[in-house]
Amino acid sequence: MNSGNQFVETLKKVGYPKAAQLNGEDFDWLFETVEDKSFLEWFCGNVNEQHVLAEKELQAFDALLKSGKPILEEEALDEVLKTCKTFDSKSSCMEEGELQKLEEEFQALQKIKNLKIHRRNKLQMMASTNSHMSLKLNDKAEEAAKILKEGQGIFTAINTKINNELHSLTEGVKKLTFFFTFSDSEQDLSPHPVFLSKLALDKYLCQEEKSTAALTSYTKKQFFQAISELVESSNEENFQLVDISKPLICDENDEVCKERLEMARLQMAYICAQHQLIQLKAKDISINSAVQWAENYLQSLKNKTFGKEQHLEARISSLNSEISKIKKQLTQINNEILPSLVKENAQLLNMPVVKGDFDLQIARQDYYTSRQDQVCNQLLKQKASFEFLQLAYEIELRKHRDNHRQLENIIQDLKQSSKALEQRLEMMSDPLISQHAVPRNTIDSRDDASHRLYQLLEGENQKQQLFRTHEGIEQVAQKLKQDITSVQDQLAVSSQEQFLFLSKLDSDLDALCDSLYCGGNQVLLSNQELTDQLYQLEMNLNKLNQLIMDFLADVKAKRKVLETNTLHQMERKLYVYFFKDEDYLKDIVEKLEHQSQAQTIGLED
């Protein structure tokens, strides 16, 4: 609750006149000053109707003032109150007995009152429950009547449905009997057999045998023993790089070993050839360098560019040392580096051979697997056809068993119904019932068929009668006919109402579709005008909310300024007095003018 509203509520509790006409928000400014805020909070929290004097007490106080008698204050009032307390204690001892009796009577009356209130509440609860139960019973009676009407309509619909199903059943039985009662001549003339079990499978089996024979011959041609052995022998161990340093020990008849020996021989030949080639290339290079040096020397002789002998000897000695170093490097290369490099190159010589052999084996494996896939696909097709045929036979066998079981049940039902019909015919053939010399109005007690017909027509509304007459059967039948006609009329009326309701529903649906699609293909979930208005309203609400927030922020800022600045507080008070009490405002202004004049006079002196 705001401070102004709390102040107004306190005035209402105290009984201030015209407090209901006051607005709490008009008094919020009183709580903004620090000096008055504490007093007003104490006033709102502690003052109530007990602190207000009644009119009689005010009149007594005014009479006391007018009489001129002294009014006790402070210490004198305390002494008088102490004497009153002692007198009250004496009188209280005397009245304790009476008070105790009154309290006992009050408690007894209070108990009687509570008991009567409890009984009254209980009776009110019982009355409310009875009224509620009566309303429930009325609702249940209406629901029962509705359910009765609905059940009557349902029973009529079930009756028509049963009649239609019986008609369709009789037609189906006729078709089934015609279907199963072909003669031998008709069966011979029929181009297509009825059941799968009667279909001749000689052509199918002959064709399957031919396909299996062709498949076996194809597999024998494609998968002979040599190919399987060749595929099984193609493994990684047979195609490894040959190491010449290791001795090869194998049998003479082993083809793999022979291939490895041949590859080792090729590697040795390659090493020797490469060694000879390198030596020849080195000799060729040395001869070319010697020829070039000789040409250079001859050119120098022609040009007569002879140096000193000392320089020549030094150069010859240096060249001899370089030649010795180069010879050492050559011997090292020939003995260590060159053989290892040649061996490595020789080991890589059989890589293309191994790769080609592996490619050949992969191609053979692919060919072998492709032929296996073809054979497997053909076998799977044959297996699928056999399984499909077996499944069809099983389904047909199951259907035959179901049909046989149903036919047996129908035969038993027909036997029972035939027995019951024979019993009825025997009963009806009784001469006591069928032949009467004199027509009787009453039904014979042995005529069970007439009695059952009477019970069936009468239904649940059976009346105890000593004798049943044929006129009674006619009356009940006529009543039943009238009920049937009335129900048919009701069904016609209900069908018309349903047709009207459906037509109205279709029109409503068309209107709804027009309103939803508005002549287009997309669904419009809301009205465009309404959405525009709601959008405009939302924008206005946002603007209003922003204005309120700005106004509250301005009010908070002004309140902070008023709490900190005494000059603004004074201006606020004067502004309030300008609207509330102009005379008081004039007095305050005059006092301030006198104070300012006095201060100016004091400064001049």
Side-chain angles (χ1 to χ4, degrees):
M1 184 183 288
N2 295 329
S3 302
N5 294 326
Q6 190 175 4
F7 180 70
V8 172
E9 292 293 330
T10 307
L11 291 176
K12 289 179 181 179
K13 290 180 182 179
V14 170
Y16 181 76
K18 298 182 181 180
Q21 299 177 359
L22 298 176
N23 190 5
E25 295 179 355
D26 296 336
F27 297 94
D28 289 337
W29 61 272
L30 294 174
F31 292 85
E32 294 176 356
T33 57
V34 180
E35 297 174 356
D36 299 334
K37 186 175 182 180
S38 60
F39 171 74
L40 291 171
E41 288 178 354
W42 174 84
F43 179 77
C44 295
N46 297 318
V47 175
N48 52 23
E49 60 271 9
Q50 294 179 359
H51 299 88
V52 180
L53 295 174
E55 293 182 359
K56 293 181 180 180
E57 293 175 350
L58 290 172
Q59 292 175 3
F61 184 72
D62 292 334
L64 183 63
L65 290 174
K66 289 178 181 179
S67 64
K69 294 181 181 179
I71 297 171
L72 299 176
E73 295 180 355
E74 296 181 357
E75 295 179 357
L77 183 62
D78 294 334
E79 290 178 358
V80 173
L81 289 173
K82 288 179 182 178
T83 57
C84 290
K85 287 180 181 179
T86 54
F87 180 75
D88 291 335
S89 62
K90 290 178 182 178
S91 61
S92 62
C93 293
M94 296 173 66
E95 294 177 356
E96 282 181 358
E98 295 179 359
L99 287 172
Q100 189 174 1
K101 290 180 181 179
L102 292 172
E103 285 179 357
E104 290 177 357
E105 290 179 359
F106 177 74
Q107 289 178 0
L109 293 172
Q110 191 71 26
K111 289 180 181 180
I112 293 166
K113 180 182 177 182
N114 293 330
L115 182 61
K116 289 182 178 180
I117 290 168
H118 179 70
R119 289 177 180 176
R120 184 197 64 188
N121 294 331
K122 192 173 180 181
L123 291 171
Q124 287 178 355
M125 288 292 292
M126 291 173 69
S128 63
T129 52
N130 289 327
S131 62
H132 186 64
M133 286 294 291
S134 64
L135 292 173
K136 280 186 177 181
L137 289 173
N138 291 326
D139 295 335
K140 286 182 179 180
E142 292 177 357
E143 289 179 359
K146 290 180 181 179
I147 290 167
L148 183 61
K149 289 182 181 179
E150 291 176 357
Q152 189 175 4
I154 290 166
F155 283 135
T156 54
I158 290 169
N159 189 11
T160 55
K161 187 177 179 181
I162 289 169
N163 292 328
N164 294 326
E165 287 180 354
L166 288 171
H167 183 67
S168 63
L169 181 63
T170 53
E171 290 181 354
V173 169
K174 287 179 181 178
K175 290 179 180 180
L176 185 64
T177 52
F178 180 75
F179 184 75
F180 282 104
T181 56
F182 284 113
S183 63
D184 296 333
S185 61
E186 290 178 351
Q187 287 181 0
D188 294 334
L189 293 172
S190 60
H192 299 290
V194 178
F195 299 109
L196 182 63
S197 58
K198 294 181 179 180
L199 184 64
L201 300 176
D202 296 335
K203 294 181 181 180
Y204 173 73
L205 294 174
C206 183
Q207 188 177 359
E208 290 294 327
E209 287 177 357
K210 288 179 181 179
S211 63
T212 51
L215 187 62
T216 52
S217 63
Y218 179 76
T219 52
K220 286 179 181 179
K221 289 179 182 179
Q222 296 293 331
F223 306 113
F224 52 90
Q225 188 174 2
I227 288 177
S228 62
E229 291 177 356
L230 181 62
V231 172
E232 289 175 357
S233 63
S234 60
N235 49 15
E236 190 177 359
E237 294 177 356
N238 298 329
F239 302 98
Q240 297 291 336
L241 296 177
V242 179
D243 191 0
I244 301 170
S245 62
K246 295 180 181 180
L248 294 172
I249 300 168
C250 58
D251 298 333
E252 295 180 354
N253 296 322
D254 194 356
E255 293 181 359
V256 177
C257 188
K258 288 179 181 179
E259 291 178 358
R260 294 184 71 184
L261 288 172
E262 183 66 23
M263 293 178 72
R265 188 180 64 78
L266 290 173
Q267 287 181 6
M268 288 297 294
Y270 176 77
I271 291 167
C272 294
Q274 288 294 111
H275 184 70
Q276 290 176 3
L277 180 63
I278 292 166
Q279 293 295 330
L280 291 172
K281 283 183 180 180
K283 286 179 182 181
D284 187 12
I285 292 167
S286 64
I287 290 166
N288 290 328
S289 62
V291 170
Q292 189 177 3
W293 181 82
E295 288 176 355
N296 293 328
Y297 183 70
L298 288 172
Q299 189 70 28
S300 64
L301 289 173
K302 289 178 182 180
N303 294 328
K304 294 182 180 181
T305 57
F306 296 102
K308 294 180 179 181
E309 293 180 357
Q310 293 177 356
H311 293 290
L312 290 171
E313 290 177 357
R315 187 176 180 185
I316 289 165
S317 63
S318 64
L319 289 171
N320 288 327
S321 62
E322 288 179 1
I323 288 166
S324 62
K325 289 180 182 179
I326 288 167
K327 285 181 179 180
K328 288 180 182 179
Q329 290 178 0
L330 288 172
T331 54
Q332 186 179 2
I333 289 168
N334 288 325
N335 295 326
E336 295 178 1
I337 299 171
L338 187 60
S340 62
L341 292 174
V342 172
K343 285 180 182 179
E344 289 178 359
N345 288 326
Q347 288 180 355
L348 296 174
L349 179 64
N350 58 353
M351 284 295 293
V353 178
V354 175
K355 183 178 180 296
D357 207 345
F358 271 124
D359 291 337
L360 179 61
Q361 293 297 329
I362 289 167
R364 288 175 180 173
Q365 288 283 354
D366 292 336
Y367 177 78
Y368 188 73
T369 52
S370 65
R371 294 296 180 272
Q372 282 183 342
D373 291 335
Q374 290 179 1
V375 174
C376 289
N377 290 327
Q378 190 64 29
L379 291 173
L380 287 172
K381 287 179 182 178
Q382 287 184 354
K383 185 181 178 183
S385 63
F386 280 119
E387 288 181 352
F388 179 75
L389 187 62
Q390 184 180 1
L391 182 62
Y393 275 118
E394 289 179 356
I395 291 168
E396 189 175 1
L397 179 61
R398 188 174 297 173
K399 287 183 178 179
H400 282 311
R401 287 177 180 173
D402 293 335
N403 292 327
H404 184 264
R405 191 180 302 108
Q406 290 177 2
L407 289 171
E408 286 182 349
N409 293 327
I410 290 167
I411 289 167
Q412 289 178 1
D413 293 335
L414 290 173
K415 286 180 180 179
Q416 291 177 359
S417 61
S418 64
K419 287 180 181 179
L421 182 60
E422 288 176 357
Q423 290 177 0
R424 291 194 190 94
L425 290 173
E426 289 178 358
M427 189 180 296
M428 294 298 292
S429 63
D430 191 358
L432 295 174
I433 297 171
S434 58
Q435 296 178 1
H436 293 288
V438 180
R440 297 177 60 183
N441 190 17
T442 60
I443 298 171
D444 196 341
S445 61
R446 293 172 292 178
D447 192 358
D448 295 331
S450 299
H451 287 289
R452 288 177 183 175
L453 180 61
Y454 193 89
Q455 291 177 1
L456 181 64
L457 294 173
E458 195 175 9
E460 295 180 356
N461 299 320
Q462 294 181 2
K463 298 179 181 178
Q464 293 181 357
Q465 296 178 0
L466 184 61
F467 297 104
R468 290 176 179 176
T469 60
H470 296 285
E471 292 179 356
I473 293 175
E474 291 177 358
Q475 292 176 1
V476 174
Q478 289 177 359
K479 185 179 180 182
L480 181 61
K481 186 177 178 181
Q482 291 175 1
D483 293 336
I484 290 168
T485 52
S486 63
V487 170
Q488 288 176 354
D489 295 334
Q490 290 176 3
L491 286 172
V493 172
S494 64
S495 62
Q496 290 178 359
E497 290 177 354
Q498 189 176 6
F499 179 74
L500 293 172
F501 179 74
L502 289 173
S503 62
K504 186 178 179 182
L505 184 62
D506 291 331
S507 62
D508 293 336
L509 284 173
D510 294 333
L512 180 62
C513 292
D514 294 334
S515 63
L516 285 175
Y517 290 95
C518 294
N521 294 324
Q522 294 181 355
V523 180
L524 298 176
L525 299 178
S526 61
N527 193 358
Q528 189 66 29
E529 296 179 356
L530 185 61
T531 52
D532 294 336
Q533 292 178 2
L534 289 173
Y535 181 71
Q536 189 68 28
L537 181 61
E538 187 177 0
M539 291 177 64
N540 294 330
L541 287 173
N542 291 328
K543 289 180 182 178
L544 181 62
N545 192 10
Q546 187 65 33
L547 291 172
I548 290 169
M549 294 299 291
D550 296 337
F551 180 72
L552 290 174
D554 191 11
V555 169
K556 287 181 181 179
K558 288 181 179 179
R559 284 180 179 176
K560 288 182 181 179
V561 171
L562 286 172
E563 288 178 357
T564 55
N565 195 346
T566 56
L567 183 61
H568 286 290
Q569 292 178 3
M570 188 178 291
E571 289 178 356
R572 178 65 179 273
K573 288 181 179 179
L574 293 175
Y575 179 74
V576 173
Y577 294 146
F578 179 76
F579 284 101
K580 298 291 183 181
D581 194 354
E582 294 181 358
D583 297 331
Y584 187 66
L585 178 64
K586 290 179 181 179
D587 295 336
I588 290 171
V589 172
E590 289 176 357
K591 286 180 182 179
L592 291 173
E593 288 178 353
H594 291 307
Q595 289 178 2
S596 63
Q597 290 175 2
Q599 287 178 359
T600 53
I601 293 167
L603 291 171
E604 289 176 357
D605 294 338

